[in-house]
Amino acid sequence: MLSRLLKEHQAKQNERKELQEKRRREAIAAATCLTEALVDHLNVGVAQAYVNQRKLDHEVKTLQVQATQFAKQTGQWIGMVENFNQALKEIGDVENWARSIELDMRTIATALEYVYKGQLQSAPS
């Protein structure tokens, strides 16, 4: 009888050990699934952040190229405006020179006219 009780006790202990081992394997499997699910969830966020970072990097490069082109174009516009201003100044200089020449010519014409009239009056008729 004692040996039968011992065998029953050992059989129950073996069943409990097997049940405990089975539950341990299930717990490990569940923990592994949970860990993978959490990592996958985090990886989605990380992947989205990476995609967004790449888009931002591309936009920054595009903006830098456009800013460089704009600066170059602005420099060209400034050069054109400066050349235009210089041409206007030169036109003003030519206009002043022409007025000066015109005034001198009128003075000469008036003087010649005065001399001619003076010669006419002094000539015997």
Side-chain angles (χ1 to χ4, degrees):
M1 175 153 169
L2 189 58
S3 116
R4 187 177 57 113
L5 283 174
L6 181 63
K7 285 182 183 179
E8 285 177 7
H9 175 70
Q10 286 176 348
K12 283 183 181 180
Q13 275 187 334
N14 284 339
E15 285 178 18
R16 284 184 193 145
K17 283 182 183 178
E18 288 175 11
L19 182 61
Q20 187 177 7
E21 183 64 28
K22 180 183 173 186
R23 287 181 180 165
R24 186 181 70 79
R25 279 186 253 128
E26 289 174 353
I28 289 173
T32 303
C33 287
L34 175 64
T35 303
E36 288 176 359
L38 288 173
V39 168
D40 288 345
H41 178 70
L42 290 175
N43 281 342
V44 168
V46 170
Q48 186 61 43
Y50 178 73
V51 168
N52 290 344
Q53 182 64 40
R54 288 191 45 123
K55 286 180 183 177
L56 285 173
D57 289 343
H58 181 266
E59 291 295 324
V60 165
K61 287 178 184 176
T62 303
L63 183 60
Q64 286 175 338
V65 167
Q66 289 175 348
T68 302
Q69 289 174 347
F70 181 70
K72 183 178 178 180
Q73 188 176 26
T74 302
Q76 291 173 345
W77 288 345
I78 289 172
M80 289 172 53
V81 168
E82 287 175 353
N83 289 340
F84 181 70
N85 282 339
Q86 184 62 33
L88 285 177
K89 286 179 185 178
E90 289 173 3
I91 288 173
D93 291 344
V94 169
E95 185 179 358
N96 286 337
W97 175 77
R99 282 188 191 143
S100 176
I101 294 293
E102 182 181 9
L103 183 62
D104 289 346
M105 294 304 283
R106 284 187 184 177
T107 303
I108 291 171
T110 303
L112 288 174
E113 186 177 331
Y114 179 72
V115 168
Y116 179 73
K117 285 183 181 178
Q119 285 179 353
L120 283 178
Q121 289 177 356
S122 63
S125 335

